[in-house]
Amino acid sequence: MKICVVGCGAVGSLFAANLSLLDDVEVVAFDLSQPHVDAINAGGLRLSGAGDVVGHPRATSDPSEIGACDFGIVATKAMHTDAAIAATAGSFSGGCVATVQNGIGNEEVLAGHVERVIRGTTFPAGKLLEPGHVQWDVKGDTTLGPFEPSPAPFAAIEQLADACTRAGLPTAAVADARGPQWRKVIFNAATNPVGALTGLTHGRVCERPDLRALVTGLVDEGKAVAAAQGIELDSDPEALIDHAAKPEVAYGHKASMLQDVEARRSTEIDYLNGGIVRFGREHDVPTPLNEAIWALVKGVEQSWQQ
Amino acid sequence: MTRVCVAGAGAIGSLLAGHLARVADVSVLTRRPEHAAALERAGLRVSGRSDFTARVAASDDPASLPPADLVILACKGTDLETLSSRLEGHFPSATVMTVQNGLGAEEIAGAHGDWPLLSAVTFMSGTRHGDTHVEYVLDTATWIGPYRGTTGDDARSAASLIASSGLAAEGFDDLRPAQWSKLIFNATVNGVAALTELPHDFHFAEVDDDAALGLLVRDLVDEGKATAAAAGVALREDPWEMNVLATRRGHRHFPSMLEDVKAKRPTEVELINGSLVREARRLGVSVPLHTAIYRLVKAKEASYTS
């Protein structure tokens, strides 16, 4: 089985390094950062923290060097999906492409370029420390399922899930992967931008009753949009929010969007709150708070061009 | 009215004191003794749209200032309680005028003495370039109305004094239509600017894409209008039109709450956004977006300390 991981930031590297340990899987790591690619090819792709792994995927920044693959795993930031899949689609003309990205709407973008798409959500997280080296912060489950309008065959999804699980990334193949996906997007959309706009860590957001009420307002809109689509959340995002606020979990964690804002990098807001607003409109569900938060974070991004 | 005391010598207080000194006997109450000494020594220079240096009496002790017919409280809303308490027992024959943003300044001042009260809102702006130099930037009007023990004629008489000094001013029988127009404008523009860190520029009037900031601004204005309507106030100006016009002035204005959050200072969020949200609650008007902005700015202030 040949798998190309498209976008080897933190999450992509977790998949590429772990999968490359399997004897029956050939892994290509595609990333635009030449220093990262060179470091992987020279010394391997190292993970440390929640697991210590050195994998040896073949890395490249040149799409023509990927070759034909059975699977793609797209792990870029959501705003780079279109460019990434446009460049690499040729390698997947006979294969299936999964997304393990944040937000909603990535599958639609993939389906614009490839035929068989796998809806995916993953909870492991980390950060890129230096070229070739990723800190693995949290382990967690991954869920894969068919993207309904342009699905991969279920047997293929099971095959990919099995490989991931054997590689140490517990992964379930399910008929409807929207529940975990919406739980995660609702969690992210209700907490990440609130941290980004206020500068507060996750725990400090949650311990202010008025702000925690705003988070719940955002969650409730997301739940209504999910319900209107017939999506059953696999568990309550509120529980995830409260769990993460515990001192021993992620009280002091700065949401990735806050890290983006502090570094003046584009955020994934269009695919989080923007995605909830878009799907809400399609199903006549009002999402005024998510619209407001979306506009505010876009405003923050615009302030950097001053 | 020929004897005026301006209490508080920030940008607005300095603009009032400097101009009024050309047509009245002006004294200035400062917080710091060295500020008063500098004013006594060097006078008060006004540049920008006006250009002159005025002689003023100044002290940090109200007891040592000459009697006044009109006392203008020109500090920021966050300092009003402290300033008003310093005036307790002084200026027994004066009328006291507040010019703070938001709602409720008159009650704060009125609790410290039984002076007749005038209420004012000001749209002019200036930049302090030190203790004895202020630049006159925006020459928009100050609006004055009766509050306690005063009439529309008293308001018009104070306005004509200010107008005769070279500033724009107008008096009304009822200030609330103007005050509420400014309250809604300020709560919206200051709140959005403080959170996005955008100056009040063209983004605030953009309505042409899904995440356009102008859509949020318009929704916030609409919540404010609904609150004003429930309070029985017919707005003098449409805050949305005020917003659009202000963004077309050709230069970028930095609202005070934006300056405050950039300098990590307490903002006027309580007096501006807080008073709008509380009024709405009292009147039974739902203002979820203003509530969100209010909570987010309060939380951003909390992030100054880690």
Side-chain angles (χ1 to χ4, degrees), chain A residues 193-194 197-200 204 208 210-211 213-214 264 270 278 281 288-289 291-304 306, chain B residues 191-192 195-199 201-203 206 210-213 215-216 219 252 288-289 292-296 298-300 302-303 305-306:
Chain A
V194 173
L197 289 167
T198 62
L200 295 176
R204 291 191 70 197
R208 294 179 66 86
D210 63 338
L211 207 56
L214 172 60
R264 300 196 160 200
D270 288 346
R278 213 163 49 243
R281 284 190 192 151
L289 289 174
E291 280 177 33
I293 293 291
W294 187 18
L296 286 170
V297 174
K298 295 304 277 185
V300 169
E301 294 180 357
Q302 283 154 350
S303 77
W304 304 330
Q306 301 290 315
Chain B
V192 170
L195 291 170
T196 61
E197 305 199 1
L198 276 171
D201 66 7
F202 65 93
H203 293 100
E206 277 186 343
D210 284 351
L213 202 57
L215 295 175
L216 172 60
D219 289 345
R252 294 147 65 221
L289 299 179
I293 296 283
Y294 170 59
R295 290 170 172 172
L296 288 166
K298 295 283 286 179
K300 188 160 179 168
S303 78
T305 54
S306 47

Side-chain angles (χ1 to χ4, degrees), chain B residues 13-246:
Chain B
S14 299
L15 287 174
L16 284 166
H19 284 86
L20 282 168
R22 304 199 290 183
V23 296
D25 291 330
V26 169
S27 60
V28 177
L29 177 65
T30 65
R31 186 168 47 82
R32 292 171 289 119
E34 60 273 24
H35 189 178
L39 286 171
E40 290 256 342
R41 190 172 58 244
L44 179 54
R45 178 168 169 232
V46 183
S47 62
R49 290 179 180 272
S50 298
D51 190 8
F52 59 86
T53 299
R55 303 296 315 174
V56 294
S59 174
D60 65 313
D61 175 10
S64 62
L65 288 172
D69 308 299
L70 175 66
V71 174
I72 303 175
L73 304 184
C75 63
K76 280 182 65 172
T78 44
D79 299 326
L80 185 61
E81 172 62 34
T82 307
L83 178 64
S84 304
S85 69
R86 288 173 63 206
L87 291 177
E88 216 166 299
H90 300 285
F91 302 108
S93 60
T95 293
V96 168
M97 183 170 97
T98 56
V99 296
Q100 282 68 29
N101 285 321
L103 295 178
E106 304 87 352
E107 279 90 351
I108 295 172
H112 292 278
D114 56 5
W115 312 286
L117 297 175
L118 287 170
S119 177
V121 295
T122 185
F123 293 88
M124 68 176 175
S125 77
T127 306
R128 269 178 108 254
H129 297 290
D131 278 352
T132 59
H133 178 195
V134 65
E135 181 189 348
Y136 185 17
V137 178
L138 281 183
D139 60 349
T140 24
T142 299
W143 290 337
I144 305 170
Y147 193 79
R148 179 179 79 186
T150 52
T151 64
D153 285 340
D154 297 325
R156 278 183 285 275
S157 139
S160 70
L161 177 70
I162 292 172
S164 71
S165 80
L167 296 169
E170 203 175 337
F172 299 93
D173 289 322
D174 181 0
L175 185 67
R176 293 189 310 158
Q179 193 172 32
W180 273 81
S181 297
K182 178 158 192 203
L183 173 69
I184 296 166
F185 173 87
N186 259 339
T188 301
V189 170
N190 272 281
V192 170
L195 291 170
T196 61
E197 305 199 1
L198 276 171
H200 190 208
D201 66 7
F202 65 93
H203 293 100
F204 286 64
E206 277 186 343
V207 292
D208 51 3
D209 78 72
D210 284 351
L213 202 57
L215 295 175
L216 172 60
V217 169
R218 203 163 58 188
D219 289 345
L220 287 163
V221 166
D222 287 345
E223 286 187 356
K225 284 180 178 173
T227 309
V233 175
L235 295 177
R236 178 176 162 81
E237 290 186 40
D238 182 339
W240 170 254
E241 294 300 324
M242 294 165 73
N243 164 63
V244 172
L245 279 177

Side-chain angles (χ1 to χ4, degrees), chain A residues 13-85:
Chain A
S13 293
L14 299 182
F15 279 89
N18 283 304
L19 282 166
S20 73
L21 301 180
L22 298 178
D23 291 335
D24 58 338
V25 175
E26 177 191 349
V27 178
V28 181
F30 173 74
D31 197 89
L32 291 183
S33 163
Q34 196 60 48
H36 191 40
V37 163
D38 291 343
I40 295 170
N41 287 332
L45 178 53
R46 188 150 70 94
L47 310 179
S48 44
D52 291 296
V53 169
V54 180
H56 289 89
R58 175 169 66 85
T60 179
S61 59
D62 178 356
S64 70
E65 289 180 359
I66 297 172
C69 293
D70 302 299
F71 292 100
I73 297 176
V74 179
T76 64
K77 288 249 182 192
M79 54 278 195
H80 301 134
T81 308
D82 194 58
I85 193 66

